[in-house]
Amino acid sequence: MAQAYVQVTTTTDSRAEAAALARSAVEGRLAACAQLVGPIASTYWWEGAIESAEEWMVVFKTTSDRFDELASLIDQEHSYDTPEIIATSVVAGSMDYLAWVAEQTEPPEEDEDEETVEIPAD
């Protein structure tokens, strides 16, 4: 089956939090790239009232295979009670770029060449 790609978005109330989420996702290889957009003006329903706020958007570039782990990371590290976590399928793109996304989001392999040292019994 061919690799599937997604862009995942979330918003936060500060640039610092957006940058921290972006860095965590890229360091963990859950996203090949994360872009910060903002500030943006958001208007939404929350707890029965219409709210307006200045927010920062993070757009993560990843594979559909990594979505669940990325969503979990966002949910765990986000300050909102109900953070936006939306994945949009990439229906077409540069093959070179998409290959790079796939390569950068491969889970780190455990060191298979590591030798096991046996300690002799006395």
Side-chain angles (χ1 to χ4, degrees), residues 15 17 33 36 42 46-47 53 66 74 77 86 92 95 103 110 112 119-120:
R15 186 182 194 289
E17 183 176 358
C33 172
L36 278 58
S42 296
W46 184 249
E47 297 182 348
R66 300 297 272 167
I74 294 168
E77 294 190 7
I86 296 176
M95 293 310 296
E103 181 181 324
E110 293 186 29
E112 295 175 8
I119 300 172

Side-chain angles (χ1 to χ4, degrees), residues 20-102:
L21 288 169
R23 182 149 188 107
S24 289
V26 172
E27 280 181 347
R29 295 209 177 261
L30 301 177
C33 172
Q35 298 169 316
L36 278 58
V37 181
I40 59 174
S42 296
T43 302
Y44 51 91
W45 281 99
W46 184 249
E47 297 182 348
I50 295 177
E51 300 283 338
S52 293
E54 184 174 277
E55 294 184 298
W56 288 81
M57 179 182 289
V58 187
V59 181
F60 302 92
K61 314 304 175 62
T62 192
T63 63
S64 59
D65 290 346
R66 300 297 272 167
F67 171 76
D68 288 339
E69 288 176 273
L70 176 58
S72 180
L73 176 122
I74 294 168
D75 195 43
Q76 290 171 8
E77 294 190 7
H78 208 292
S79 64
Y80 289 2
D81 293 339
T82 307
E84 170 189 353
I85 304 172
I86 296 176
T88 304
S89 293
V90 174
V91 297
S94 159
M95 293 310 296
D96 289 341
Y97 181 79
L98 296 177
W100 174 79
V101 169

